[in-house]
Amino acid sequence: MHYQIVHHMAALDAAHNPPNSLNAVEACLAANAAAIEVDIMPLAGEDFLLVHDDVLESETTGQGRVSECTPEAAKKLQLKQRGGSVVSDQVPALLTEVVAAMLGAPARTRLQLDYKAINPTVDDEWLRRVIRIVEPLGDRVIVSSYADWHLRRLRRLASWLDIGFDIGLYLEWRDPAWQVDARKPPFHLGSYGYYDDHVLARQRLLPNAAYLAERCEILLRQVPEASTWYVSHHLIARGLDEGFNMAAWLRQNDVKLDAWTMDVDKPIAVANAPRLRDAGVDLFTSNTPLALGQLLQAQA
């Protein structure tokens, strides 16, 4: 059974490089990682910064919006623990630096760029910029996002570009014991037990497996060009509980499935990993990619 491990934020288990850092990317390349995921936010210039959030103070020693910072100013900052105060001795990475590292590495590692600037924009400048920067990588790059509006536009601007859809703004499963951020969609707990703002979730009229298949059909039509879906492993596992195999359903539509974020220090992820592998999940995103690979092989 073929699957790949995706190094979340260029993680490499016990390595001490900050997430999304250039050193972390280079370490993954040296380890012949199959795929590396990093987050990108646009800068006030011809580049992107490898950070998750839209404000500098969240992950760097800077202040203000990332989109108002120039690449030159960004390289004078230092990375720090996201949302914390621990400052590293490493500077933030630029997307152009990551592309150069990818091109200089002998491995055929793929790069997943998680496009975090999800708000709609009045023009396509940021989208055109990311296309220009990553074009030398060709089929070694995929751009993923929650924002289906950006993904559709990216594909119209660059028919060659591989795109991936994270459906988390539209359909999710959350344990009742979790603390839910009320500001993050989907906002409503639907009648089928999933967070879903679609009208189909308002009243329970179908078996749960049929409801999930219908919702996947609707989501597939939102970004029909997407080669890969990025889905919480909790949602995938819950679907299996109710008789719906999302991986098999997507495969019938020539779409791969990535389960995120599966770390071996989380008991539920350890329990779900072999089950999702056996269900046909194609990719597993992890902050502990080496240990997860060993777990999946040991329990094969």
Side-chain angles (χ1 to χ4, degrees):
M1 186 172 296
H2 180 71
Y3 57 84
Q4 287 188 333
I5 307 294
V6 181
H7 294 235
H8 184 238
M9 295 186 180
L12 196 61
D13 294 67
H16 298 296
N17 292 309
N20 284 322
S21 64
L22 184 60
N23 282 3
V25 171
E26 291 174 339
C28 289
L29 289 171
N32 293 317
I36 302 170
E37 181 266 356
V38 294
D39 304 313
I40 59 170
M41 289 290 297
L43 287 161
E46 285 296 311
D47 220 323
F48 290 80
L49 200 64
L50 266 67
V51 289
H52 183 280
D53 298 339
D54 61 357
V55 290
L56 292 165
E57 54 265 34
S58 179
E59 297 154 85
T60 78
T61 52
Q63 296 284 326
R65 302 194 68 80
V66 176
S67 60
E68 297 173 357
C69 179
T70 65
E72 295 77 17
K75 296 304 290 185
K76 296 178 182 178
L77 305 175
Q78 291 174 285
L79 288 168
K80 69 175 187 180
Q81 179 186 12
R82 184 182 175 207
S85 59
V86 178
V87 177
S88 78
D89 60 354
Q90 298 185 36
V91 300
L94 303 177
L95 178 55
T96 52
E97 295 174 323
V98 172
V99 170
M102 292 281 294
L103 292 172
R108 286 286 297 174
T109 301
R110 289 203 83 203
L111 178 66
Q112 177 197 345
L113 300 177
D114 201 359
Y115 190 88
K116 292 298 186 181
I118 66 170
N119 290 336
T121 53
V122 296
D123 59 44
D124 297 326
E125 195 280 322
W126 289 349
L127 301 180
R128 293 181 185 277
R129 184 194 304 175
V130 72
I131 292 167
R132 288 194 299 270
I133 294 174
V134 305
E135 188 170 12
L137 291 175
D139 62 3
R140 293 179 63 193
V141 66
I142 181 171
V143 178
S144 63
S145 181
Y146 289 115
D148 51 295
W149 46 94
H150 286 328
L151 294 173
R152 289 189 295 271
R153 190 60 185 159
L154 275 170
R155 195 54 183 269
R156 285 195 291 268
L157 293 170
S159 61
W160 60 268
L161 182 63
D162 197 5
I163 55 175
F165 185 24
D166 189 322
I167 68 169
L169 295 185
Y170 296 100
L171 182 64
E172 189 57 276
W173 183 84
R174 298 165 183 161
D175 190 302
W178 296 347
Q179 288 188 337
V180 176
D181 185 348
R183 299 167 299 176
K184 183 179 179 181
F187 301 109
H188 301 100
L189 177 61
S191 61
Y192 294 90
Y194 297 84
Y195 280 81
D196 183 1
D197 298 329
H198 195 276
V199 66
L200 282 179
R202 296 291 298 274
Q203 186 177 1
R204 189 170 182 171
L205 300 173
L206 298 170
N208 277 26
Y211 153 77
L212 289 170
E214 188 63 38
R215 288 299 286 121
C216 285
E217 178 71 29
I218 294 168
L219 292 168
L220 187 70
R221 293 176 184 273
Q222 287 183 213
V223 193
E225 303 87 354
S227 73
T228 308
W229 276 19
Y230 296 89
V231 181
S232 161
H233 70 89
H234 302 284
L235 174 56
I236 302 170
R238 183 66 174 184
L240 290 174
D241 291 341
E242 300 189 323
F244 179 72
N245 185 328
M246 186 180 290
W249 189 94
L250 286 171
R251 188 170 298 108
Q252 293 176 351
N253 292 276
D254 297 320
V255 178
K256 294 179 180 180
L257 179 59
D258 177 291
W260 58 261
T261 303
M262 309 204 68
D263 302 338
V264 298
D265 59 347
K266 304 292 193 299
I268 187 63
V270 171
N272 281 342
R275 187 180 181 206
L276 269 56
R277 176 205 59 207
D278 294 344
V281 168
D282 303 280
L283 302 116
F284 295 84
T285 294
S286 177
N287 290 301
T288 56
L290 302 181
L292 179 63
Q294 293 171 353
L295 170 70
L296 290 171
Q297 290 178 1
Q299 298 190 15

